[in-house]
């Protein structure tokens, strides 16, 4: 069974919902979550917060955190996940932010760096990845990793 099938089955069995706040994945996670019939029973919706202004105005990310840590940081993705969890009244939230390239990146967080957060009422877990490849490959790897992390956290 595929990752998406497993995730859908688990969400339905447990009666839980998911919302997303995507930056570098630009809606790909939401798109993947809705490819299977019946996804409306567990997918509440999401926000593509590509620009910092949207992260701040819609998701309530702190401008000072962005200024201090940059938009590609554990702190920012944590705030994104917590906010979308609450705004969409979901049981779980997935958030992503990163540098998909070919431009961007820093010495600390080079191109391919992606932070993924999974939030629930229990708390938020943030993971940092550095993916290799071109822009599309990085975005694909990030979305698949986010879905895999979601499956693990919902399973618990």
């Amino acid at each position: 069974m595929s990752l998406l099938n497993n995730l859908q089955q688990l969400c339905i069995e447990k009666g839980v919902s998911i919302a997303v706040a995507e930056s570098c994945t630009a809606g790909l996670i939401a798109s993947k979550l809705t490819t299977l019939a019946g996804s409306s029973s567990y997918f509440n919706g999401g926000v593509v917060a590509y620009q910092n202004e949207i992260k701040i105005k819609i998701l309530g990310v702190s401008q000072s955190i962005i200024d201090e840590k940059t938009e590609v940081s554990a702190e920012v993705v944590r705030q994104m996940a917590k906010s979308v969890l609450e705004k969409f009244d979901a049981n779980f939230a997935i958030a992503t932010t990163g540098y998909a390239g070919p431009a961007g990146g820093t010495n600390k967080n080079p191109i391919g760096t992606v932070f993924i957060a999974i939030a629930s009422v229990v708390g938020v877990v943030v993971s940092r990845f550095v993916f290799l490849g071109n822009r599309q490959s990085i975005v694909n790897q990030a979305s698949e990793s986010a879905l895999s992390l979601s499956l693990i956290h919902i399973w618990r």
Side-chain angles (χ1 to χ4, degrees):
M1 208 185 278
S2 77
L3 171 61
L4 284 173
N5 286 359
N6 287 335
L7 184 57
Q8 180 181 46
Q9 182 179 347
L10 185 62
C11 287
I12 291 169
E13 283 175 7
K14 290 195 165 217
V16 298
S17 58
I18 299 175
V20 298
E22 299 184 64
S23 187
C24 65
T25 50
L28 185 58
I29 296 168
S31 177
K32 287 183 177 200
L33 283 170
T34 58
T35 57
L36 298 176
S39 59
S40 62
S41 67
Y42 65 91
F43 181 65
N44 289 10
V47 174
V48 176
Y50 213 70
Q51 295 184 350
N52 288 343
E53 184 177 331
I54 303 304
K55 290 178 183 80
I56 295 163
K57 287 184 178 178
I58 305 297
L59 295 174
V61 173
S62 165
Q63 177 71 61
S64 62
I65 295 281
I66 291 174
D67 292 343
E68 181 183 340
K69 303 288 186 177
T70 81
E71 64 275 11
V72 178
S73 64
E75 294 80 3
V76 166
V77 81
R78 179 176 281 111
Q79 287 185 352
M80 291 171 65
K82 287 167 89 172
S83 178
V84 81
L85 181 75
E86 180 182 307
K87 288 183 185 298
F88 284 77
D89 194 28
N91 302 107
F92 291 89
I94 304 167
T96 61
T97 188
Y99 296 118
T106 65
N107 286 337
K108 183 179 175 183
N109 291 314
I111 291 169
T113 301
V114 176
F115 288 91
I116 299 171
I118 308 298
S120 70
V121 294
V122 176
V124 182
V125 176
V126 176
S127 301
R128 179 183 181 270
F129 297 87
V130 179
F131 300 113
L132 300 176
N134 62 25
R135 181 179 182 82
Q136 192 57 50
S137 175
I138 290 167
V139 171
N140 283 331
Q141 291 172 76
S143 67
E144 288 295 311
S145 295
L147 292 169
S148 293
L149 287 171
S150 298
L151 184 64
I152 291 166
H153 287 278
I154 293 169
W155 183 261
R156 290 181 181 170

